[in-house]
Amino acid sequence: MRLALFQPDIPQNAGTLIRTGACLGVPVDIVEPCGFILDDTRLRRSLMDYGELAAVSRHVNWAAFAASRPGRIVLVETDHGVPYTGFAFHPEDTLLLGRESAGTPPEVAAACHAAVHIPMHPGARSLNVAIAAAMVLGEALRQTGPRAKNPTR
């Protein structure tokens, strides 16, 4: 299981997700360009001292990232795809999160193997990307982790 951030805009969210990956043993891919300098002070502040524990790979663009992924790319969307709790995750999946300001372009979404979303209350547009990633990643790890009741699910 991996997390991937597509051209992230907000350093605090990227830092929070890298920290999440470090704490859960999940590698993080960053698809550039970012909307900030990757060594930004705001990124370091949200990373705290977890930066050394994190496994982070940077990719110069979408094509380089897509070529490097052997498993499925599962897009986490605001309103398309199946509810994340009804999706069968695989251990080699990469969960792709779009830009906070613009999501993912149609060609990126079309290249993904699947899409999931978090059902929300009518009228709500979206959750913070770090919150959404944590929710979906938690379910994916529950299904695929060593303690999963049905790891082939």
Side-chain angles (χ1 to χ4, degrees), residues 91-112:
E92 65 280 354
D93 285 345
T94 297
L95 306 179
L96 177 67
L97 290 300
R99 296 183 74 169
E100 294 92 341
S101 63
T104 52
E107 63 274 11
V108 170
C112 293

Side-chain angles (χ1 to χ4, degrees), residues 35-117:
F36 53 89
I37 299 169
L38 214 47
D39 64 355
D40 189 289
T41 302
R42 294 167 295 183
L43 175 71
R44 288 194 310 271
R45 189 176 310 133
S46 57
L47 263 175
M48 295 176 59
D49 58 347
Y50 292 91
E52 291 183 21
L53 290 175
V56 178
S57 298
R58 295 171 65 175
H59 306 274
V60 296
N61 57 34
W62 169 253
F65 165 74
S68 74
R69 295 280 41 93
R72 299 184 307 177
I73 299 173
V74 179
L75 179 61
V76 179
E77 271 281 7
T78 55
D79 57 2
H80 294 92
V82 301
Y84 76 105
T85 53
F87 184 76
F89 292 96
H90 297 170
E92 65 280 354
D93 285 345
T94 297
L95 306 179
L96 177 67
L97 290 300
R99 296 183 74 169
E100 294 92 341
S101 63
T104 52
E107 63 274 11
V108 170
C112 293
H113 300 91
V116 298
H117 73 275

Side-chain angles (χ1 to χ4, degrees), residues 119-141:
M120 292 183 283
H121 187 72
R125 288 191 323 271
S126 66
L127 291 165
N128 172 279
V129 69
I131 297 294
M135 290 175 66
V136 176
L137 178 60
E139 174 62 14
L141 292 175

